[in-house]
């Protein structure tokens, strides 16, 4: 299980996971600083940098298909995500 169960500003240490494969989607996370890679079980890797929004393409209750692994110390802001209205709040908070 990842570290984003806490809403608000989070610092994720190198090697920690923000989310793990099959975790339930309960948040939308904005990468403020650092580098997080999406890692598949087969080792496929998608790097993400500052400004990336994680979870926005998923629905609350969906399962993550990747591990979200911090490649370096990273800071994210995690927003509660229970319904589509929460997405509007995230967008307004991050113009």
């Amino acid at each position: 299980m990842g570290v984003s169960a806490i809403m608000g500003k989070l610092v994720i240490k190198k090697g920690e996971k923000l989310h793990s494969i099959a975790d339930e989607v309960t948040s939308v996370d904005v990468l403020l600083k650092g580098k997080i890679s999406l890692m598949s079980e087969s080792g496929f890797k998608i790097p993400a940098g500052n400004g990336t929004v994680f979870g926005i393409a998923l629905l609350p209750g969906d399962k993550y298909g990747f591990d979200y692994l911090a490649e370096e110390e990273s800071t994210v802001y995690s927003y509660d995500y229970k319904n589509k209205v929460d997405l509007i709040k995230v967008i307004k908070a991050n113009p």
Side-chain angles (χ1 to χ4, degrees):
M1 183 157 131
V3 297
S4 76
I6 301 168
M7 300 300 141
K9 194 173 185 180
L10 305 171
V11 175
I12 299 141
K13 295 179 182 165
K14 181 179 180 177
E16 277 188 325
K17 293 179 185 175
L18 174 63
H19 300 292
S20 296
I21 292 173
D23 278 356
E24 185 176 331
V25 176
T26 60
S27 65
V28 171
D29 310 289
V30 178
L31 181 56
L32 302 174
K33 178 180 139 191
K35 183 177 174 186
I36 294 179
S37 290
L38 286 67
M39 306 283 292
S40 72
E41 290 179 311
S42 66
F44 182 72
K45 179 176 165 178
I46 303 168
N50 297 348
T52 301
V53 180
F54 303 115
I56 200 161
L58 302 169
L59 295 173
D62 283 352
K63 304 290 182 191
Y64 288 102
F66 296 91
D67 285 328
Y68 292 66
L69 182 70
E71 298 283 344
E72 60 188 47
E73 184 172 281
S74 301
T75 303
V76 299
Y77 199 94
S78 185
Y79 295 87
D80 195 29
Y81 182 31
K82 292 186 169 110
N83 56 54
K84 292 179 184 180
V85 173
D86 290 334
L87 288 179
I88 295 168
K89 293 176 190 174
V90 172
I91 293 166
K92 285 184 178 181
N94 296 280

